[in-house]
Amino acid sequence: CIMCYFNSNFMALSSYALDSTKKEDLLDQYLQETLCQMMDEYHKNQTPIDIDFRKLIHWLRAGDQLTHQIHPYPAKLLPHIAYFFLKAHKNLTQKLVLDPFCGSGTVALEASIHGFLPLVADANPLALLLTKVKTTPYCIEKLIRIKEKISYKYIRYKVAPTIDIVNPDLWYLPEHKKQLEILLRTIEEIVDQEEKAFFKICFSSLTKKVSFADPAISVPVRLKTKEKFSPTINARINKRLDWIKSANIIQEFNIIVDANIERVIETNNKYPNRSTAKQVGIDARSLFTNLNDSIPMPDNSVPLVITSPPYGSAQKYVRASSLSLNWLELASPKELRSLEEKSIGREHLRKTPLHLEESNLPEDYVQLLKKIAHKNELRARITQKYLIEMSQVVDEIARVTAPNGRVIFVLGNNQVCGETLRNDRFIIECFQKHHLKLKLILIDDIKSRGLMTKRNRTASVISRETVLVFEK
């Protein structure tokens, strides 16, 4: 048993009277040996290995750790997965790690605190902003001074520019919307862009907290009582609604700011020399070394890739971020649809004919799409688009991965219209076309990670994640 092997060695390691640096070095070594043992077992048996990353990395808290919880975000990658593979690759000469689907910045933060420079991309501008804030070692005194200045200005200001929000009357009391606009005006006046980003993320958290959106659901859904709910649940909902109506905007903002400053303090104390994530694009199919996307990332330049792409039928990423995107003016209500169209794993597609013969997909996937199309042509077109775009993502990742470099790909399988979509097999075939060797398959059960695993009546629940390890 691999986990028994590791835990027995970890217990032995913990008993040694060693300084923290030496223990950390030995821990890295044991994790490297554990990964090697897994790959040896897979090479021998060619069978996926069941694993529980929470138990394997049992000392890592899954809750409010460092700046991981600085802002809510749907479908976060379990930090234990990023932690394991980063620690198992600490001996890399070039300390770079790429996550072309950075999302909330889980891989980026873990990479940053373990001495890597995180390279990140994402189609969602909120994800890029959040990842930057999460990995930046802010000056605490400066944050406190700006917080005080924001409170002072908020009291003085009486008017502010109107922010265009999708269905504002559905989500906010009119007086709260006006107060939020005044608060945002004070934040926009912050001169330093890094500090401004921090307070924008705090403000973004506030906009969901004081909205009428159900906090238990990632996408905005109006919180309201229902006859089918129990009296206890309806009482809880009414209590929440009463709290929202009486909420003090600046007071709640300062609570969020103080909590996030404490998170930064903890992270600064433990990892003062961490690197801020570097953006390398907004599209995983086209990575660049500069912000204006004119210089492509060099071939064979990245020694390690750790990423979890959007699942084809699992999450409405843009819709889940819509209120924040509107408030921060990263996308207006009219621009949300076009932003979704730039995202991989989208929910909607413009109506176009289904041309399977032109898709250049493997024959078994063409046949699968035909079965889906027989039941629902729209779902077939969405699935086809997802597979084509993921193939292009693999092309780009394979291009930038360095010789002997490794790619860790975390994804899930699902069903579309009752037909099983084996995303893992598809990705394996795509990487093997580029001569990357499959070194390991791990299977981990999904616990609650903020993942909306069933998106519509034509999709299925995703209950297990597959971790694929490739080597160039």
Side-chain angles (χ1 to χ4, degrees):
C1 173
I2 286 175
M3 291 184 61
C4 293
Y5 162 82
F6 173 76
N7 286 329
S8 63
N9 281 284
F10 177 76
M11 293 300 292
L13 169 63
S14 300
S15 67
Y16 292 158
L18 302 172
D19 62 67
S20 59
T21 302
K22 186 63 175 176
K23 278 191 176 182
E24 199 71 19
D25 290 342
L26 286 173
L27 177 58
D28 294 345
Q29 180 182 335
Y30 277 120
L31 288 169
Q32 291 165 18
E33 291 175 358
T34 302
L35 178 58
C36 287
Q37 189 189 19
M38 288 176 178
M39 291 193 294
D40 288 344
E41 182 176 325
Y42 178 77
H43 178 74
K44 179 181 177 182
N45 300 320
Q46 294 296 299
T47 302
I49 299 172
D50 287 325
I51 191 163
D52 187 332
F53 278 101
R54 291 175 184 267
K55 289 183 179 178
L56 181 64
I57 314 296
H58 56 82
W59 60 91
L60 191 67
R61 286 181 292 152
D64 193 0
Q65 188 229 5
L66 305 178
T67 53
H68 275 301
Q69 302 298 327
I70 207 166
H71 186 283
Y73 200 87
K76 292 183 179 182
L77 178 70
L78 187 70
H80 302 61
I81 297 175
Y83 178 98
F84 173 72
F85 285 104
L86 287 161
K87 295 283 277 182
H89 290 88
K90 282 293 287 289
N91 61 349
L92 287 175
T93 304
Q94 192 180 21
K95 292 296 186 70
L96 295 175
V97 61
L98 167 67
D99 183 357
F101 296 102
C102 68
S104 69
T106 298
V107 171
L109 177 58
E110 289 295 325
S112 176
I113 66 178
H114 289 112
F116 291 80
L117 172 61
L119 307 177
V120 300
D122 205 287
N124 189 335
L126 178 65
L128 292 170
L129 181 67
L130 175 55
T131 298
K132 177 184 177 182
V133 170
K134 190 177 282 190
T135 57
T136 297
Y138 289 100
C139 171
I140 301 303
E141 291 76 15
K142 196 170 183 180
L143 292 179
I144 293 173
R145 286 198 302 271
I146 293 174
K147 174 201 164 190
E148 293 170 351
K149 189 176 291 187
I150 287 173
S151 296
Y152 174 74
K153 287 185 176 182
Y154 177 81
I155 294 172
R156 291 181 58 218
Y157 291 166
K158 303 303 179 187
V159 295
T162 300
I163 304 298
D164 191 11
I165 304 296
V166 61
N167 300 323
D169 295 336
L170 180 65
W171 306 119
Y172 298 99
L173 292 173
E175 58 268 33
H176 279 178
K177 185 170 186 292
K178 180 180 177 181
Q179 291 163 9
L180 287 167
E181 288 166 345
I182 291 172
L183 179 56
L184 182 60
R185 176 187 170 186
T186 71
I187 294 171
E188 290 292 358
E189 292 176 356
I190 298 171
V191 175
D192 192 296
Q193 294 302 309
E194 285 193 350
E195 277 67 31
K196 182 187 288 189
F198 173 85
F199 286 98
K200 279 190 170 184
I201 285 299
C202 295
F203 176 81
S204 174
S205 294
L206 176 68
T207 61
K208 183 156 187 178
K209 184 177 182 181
V210 300
S211 76
F212 288 115
D214 189 336
I217 303 174
S218 60
V219 297
V221 175
R222 175 82 183 208
L223 181 66
K224 56 185 177 181
T225 58
K226 295 181 181 179
E227 287 186 8
K228 66 178 181 179
F229 292 161
S230 69
T232 302
I233 292 176
N234 279 328
R236 191 181 306 135
I237 291 172
N238 279 323
K239 184 178 180 180
R240 170 77 182 176
L241 293 172
D242 289 341
W243 177 87
I244 292 170
K245 293 170 186 175
S246 63
N248 182 307
I249 294 299
I250 190 63
Q251 181 178 315
E252 293 304 323
F253 177 71
N254 285 331
I255 289 172
I256 292 170
V257 170
D258 289 342
N260 283 343
I261 286 177
E262 286 301 316
R263 293 178 174 110
V264 175
I265 290 172
E266 180 191 4
T267 314
N268 282 356
N269 288 341
K270 291 183 178 179
Y271 306 100
N273 300 317
R274 67 189 186 280
S275 299
T276 304
K278 178 183 177 183
Q279 182 180 333
V280 293
I282 59 173
D283 188 340
R285 296 165 292 176
S286 188
L287 302 172
F288 297 86
T289 59
N290 60 333
L291 288 180
N292 63 2
D293 294 351
S294 61
I295 305 173
M297 184 180 288
D299 296 353
N300 307 312
S301 59
V302 180
L304 182 62
V305 179
I306 303 177
T307 195
S308 180
Y311 297 160
S313 297
Q315 189 57 253
K316 301 174 182 178
Y317 292 92
V318 171
R319 185 181 163 196
S321 307
S322 58
L323 290 177
S324 293
L325 290 167
N326 290 167
W327 273 111
L328 300 181
E329 298 185 286
L330 297 171
S332 69
K334 292 180 180 178
E335 293 170 332
L336 290 173
R337 184 64 176 266
S338 63
L339 180 59
E340 184 188 4
E341 289 174 352
K342 297 175 185 175
S343 305
I344 295 174
R346 69 201 70 175
E347 174 69 16
H348 303 97
L349 269 185
R350 296 187 186 277
K351 190 159 186 175
T352 56
L354 179 66
H355 296 299
L356 293 176
E357 64 278 0
E358 299 173 6
S359 63
N360 200 29
L361 294 172
E363 181 58 28
D364 50 344
Y365 285 89
V366 171
Q367 295 304 317
L368 174 65
L369 290 171
K370 287 181 179 179
K371 292 180 181 179
I372 296 172
H374 184 70
K375 303 172 185 177
N376 187 319
E377 186 172 318
L378 173 61
R379 302 312 303 175
R381 288 193 292 110
I382 289 175
T383 304
Q384 179 191 38
K385 187 73 171 175
Y386 175 74
L387 293 173
I388 291 172
E389 290 178 336
M390 286 306 300
S391 175
Q392 294 166 345
V393 168
V394 171
D395 293 344
E396 183 71 346
I397 291 176
R399 180 185 73 80
V400 302
T401 302
N404 302 314
R406 284 186 180 153
V407 177
I408 289 82
F409 220 80
V410 185
L411 74 167
N413 297 319
N414 61 291
Q415 288 193 332
V416 182
C417 299
E419 301 293 338
T420 301
L421 178 62
R422 289 295 302 269
N423 295 307
D424 55 353
R425 287 182 183 172
F426 180 76
I427 293 300
I428 290 170
E429 287 185 36
C430 290
F431 272 110
Q432 288 178 337
K433 286 180 183 176
H434 293 279
H435 308 292
L436 270 75
K437 301 176 201 139
L438 179 62
K439 305 293 286 186
L440 179 64
I441 302 178
L442 299 172
I443 306 291
D444 189 11
D445 290 337
I446 293 179
K447 284 77 179 177
S448 176
R449 301 183 193 167
L451 178 65
M452 184 175 67
T453 52
K454 189 165 184 179
R455 187 166 68 177
N456 55 62
R457 57 193 173 87
T458 67
S460 65
V461 169
I462 300 173
S463 60
R464 312 192 83 193
E465 275 183 329
T466 303
V467 182
L468 305 174
V469 180
F470 301 93
E471 191 173 284
K472 191 169 181 180

